[in-house]
Amino acid sequence: MFIADQLENKKILITGGAGFIGSSLAFYFQTYHPQAEVVVLDKFRSGETFPSGNLISLGHFKNLIGFRGRVICADINDAKKMNKIFEEKFDYVFHQAAISDTTVMNQEIVMQTNHDAFLHLLHLTLNGGGKMIYASSAGTYGNSPAPNCIGVGEIPENVYGFSKLCMDESVRGILAQNQDAHIVGLRYFNVYGEREFYKGKTASMILQLGLQAMHHKKVRLFKHGEQKRDFVYIQDVIQANVKAMEAQKSGVYNVGSGEARCFNDILKCLKTHLGEFDVEYIDNPYAFYQNHTEADISLSQKFLNYQPKFSLEEGISAYIQEIKEIYAREKKCL
Ligand SMILES: NC(=O)c1ccc[n+]([C@@H]2O[C@H](COP(=O)([O-])OP(=O)(O)OC[C@H]3O[C@@H](n4cnc5c(N)ncnc54)[C@H](O)[C@@H]3O)[C@@H](O)[C@H]2O)c1
């Protein structure tokens, strides 16, 4: 439990609650704050895809099996429906719903879903007297030099990162006018952990490499596996969200482990759990590819009291059992 408040009779809305991070939050509150009323809202998957073949929305009912709260199936772009849903007042809104696929090229749908719909929900939340905690992204930094500090090098390389930066800029504008509003944006870095399986090709490299190693005894990495990322375990992301409920100061914060690790480090950790496997280094076809991301978490530590607890080794150790179970399920279906 990350905060002292029991949240008795408090109403919490989690948008994107059938996704990876949203469903993890829903179960956190169900377990540690059973007196709170938790409502999950998600569009769920329909089978509709982008030209890449990736699904337009990734929410999956299986992420919510065991969740006993209310579930609403709705599209955040449906303003009328959102107005109706928000006739009920929420004390806290954890806004995770988004097109989370960073490779989507359709700028219109990304901007509408990630930015415009968010702004509408933000106004509804604040008008109802609620607090907003929302998912931003390290994508706002593009390929700027690490460590990535809030307010520095905010130069996204794709429309996904741009849409998240627009969210943050809109919030900065609102906070400049209204310092009493409780709005906290969390720039997640590379999140991994339980319940990410249904993200498919957009799931973390930790899951993808773990499954490749078990299926083929061989994994593929872009040459030469030395690109660095700030990999952050889901439990630390939950901690940041929950602590944001009692943030000393509204604003935008980084959520990472605070340490950059390379893809070869992931392989080293996986080998300690799965035994030896081969690595093939292949050419990187992408013109844009981040070489080094690393969250400067000093502001998050100071104003959110955020303290990441999981190193890459500890996070993978905690997660490996689920990766093995996913593999066993996949193998049965082959
Ligand atoms: N996982 C990461 O590494 C990471 C990193 C940075 C930022 N983020 C952000 O964190 C949030 C959660 O990401 P996630 O990894 O859980 O992804 P996810 O795709 O599993 O979750 C997003 C959820 O939003 C839902 N959704 C999409 N469009 C919707 C719409 N129009 N109306 C209602 N629901 C809709 C999806 O169905 C899905 O369940 C997203 O905002 C994402 O951009 C994630």
Side-chain angles (χ1 to χ4, degrees):
M1 201 163 111
F2 299 119
I3 52 168
D5 193 336
Q6 283 303 313
L7 304 177
E8 215 160 345
N9 301 322
K10 294 281 195 269
K11 251 190 212 178
I12 295 174
L13 177 70
I14 303 171
T15 71
F20 166 34
I21 297 170
S23 62
S24 303
L25 274 169
F27 281 102
Y28 169 84
F29 286 114
Q30 177 166 294
T31 306
Y32 295 103
H33 296 277
Q35 295 97 328
E37 183 182 343
V38 184
V39 181
V40 153
L41 183 155
D42 203 289
K43 184 178 170 183
F44 290 86
R45 60 185 59 197
S46 65
E48 205 185 337
T49 57
F50 291 114
S52 64
N54 290 353
L55 287 166
I56 284 189
S57 51
L58 295 163
H60 199 298
F61 77 90
K62 285 202 174 170
N63 281 332
L64 288 170
I65 286 180
F67 175 65
R68 296 186 296 273
R70 224 175 338 137
V71 177
I72 301 172
C73 179
D75 188 330
I76 56 167
N77 292 306
D78 184 341
K80 267 195 203 149
K81 203 162 181 179
M82 292 302 118
N83 293 344
K84 187 89 197 130
I85 289 167
F86 275 79
E87 281 172 8
E88 181 177 351
K89 308 280 179 236
F90 297 100
D91 298 289
Y92 297 95
V93 175
F94 291 87
H95 179 63
Q96 309 300 312
I99 291 177
S100 62
D101 181 345
T102 58
T103 65
V104 175
M105 309 291 257
N106 181 333
Q107 303 188 12
E108 183 184 26
I109 188 174
V110 173
M111 288 305 292
Q112 277 171 354
T113 307
N114 292 6
H115 178 256
D116 301 1
F118 161 69
L119 261 198
H120 185 59
L121 293 195
L122 177 57
H123 287 299
L124 291 172
T125 303
L126 297 180
N127 290 344
K131 299 180 179 183
M132 166 65 84
I133 293 140
Y134 70 93
S136 180
S137 168
T140 50
Y141 296 112
N143 223 345
S144 297
N148 306 108
C149 303
I150 300 291
V152 181
E154 294 173 338
I155 312 166
E157 292 277 350
N158 53 32
V159 68
Y160 168 81
F162 179 73
S163 71
K164 295 286 181 180
L165 183 57
C166 287
M167 292 167 78
D168 295 346
E169 292 295 7
S170 296
V171 165
R172 286 168 172 157
I174 292 169
L175 290 174
Q177 303 291 319
N178 176 5
Q179 279 153 19
D180 293 336
H182 188 107
I183 316 171
V184 179
L186 300 174
R187 287 186 177 167
Y188 306 149
F189 279 62
N190 286 64
V191 191
Y192 65 97
E194 292 82 351
R195 296 200 175 83
E196 66 166 314
F197 170 69
Y198 291 103
K199 292 187 70 172
K201 279 192 251 164
T202 67
S204 76
M205 284 300 282
I206 289 152
L207 177 60
Q208 305 207 34
L209 292 170
L211 291 176
Q212 277 180 36
M214 282 189 277
H215 277 297
H216 310 297
K217 293 269 168 256
K218 181 176 185 171
V219 304
R220 299 174 99 194
L221 276 185
F222 292 143
K223 282 176 185 169
H224 287 277
E226 293 299 332
Q227 306 89 338
K228 287 181 169 170
R229 296 278 184 285
D230 188 323
F231 298 105
V232 56
Y233 185 51
I234 183 69
Q235 292 302 328
D236 284 331
V237 172
I238 290 173
Q239 181 205 145
N241 272 277
V242 176
K243 288 189 170 166
M245 298 165 85
E246 295 178 341
Q248 280 177 42
K249 201 170 156 205
S250 286
V252 180
Y253 295 94
N254 285 334
V255 178
S257 68
E259 212 192 333
R261 302 293 299 272
C262 68
F263 292 113
N264 287 329
D265 289 337
I266 298 179
L267 300 189
K268 223 182 274 168
C269 294
L270 287 172
K271 282 181 180 180
T272 64
H273 297 283
L274 305 177
E276 271 305 314
F277 51 81
D278 292 333
V279 189
E280 182 189 357
Y281 292 102
I282 56 172
D283 288 327
N284 183 349
Y286 297 108
F288 163 70
Y289 199 73
Q290 289 171 306
N291 278 321
H292 184 172
T293 66
E294 183 177 339
D296 174 323
I297 54 170
S298 51
L299 292 176
S300 325
Q301 288 171 315
K302 184 169 174 196
F303 293 112
L304 303 183
N305 188 27
Y306 167 66
Q307 197 52 58
K309 297 264 187 287
F310 291 83
S311 65
L312 184 65
E313 284 74 10
E314 289 163 330
I316 291 181
S317 286
Y319 186 24
I320 199 74
Q321 187 53 33
E322 165 141 330
I323 300 180
K324 287 180 178 171
E325 283 165 17
I326 293 169
Y327 166 69
R329 280 203 307 272
E330 284 188 342
K331 209 170 157 223
K332 241 195 237 166
C333 298
L334 286 176

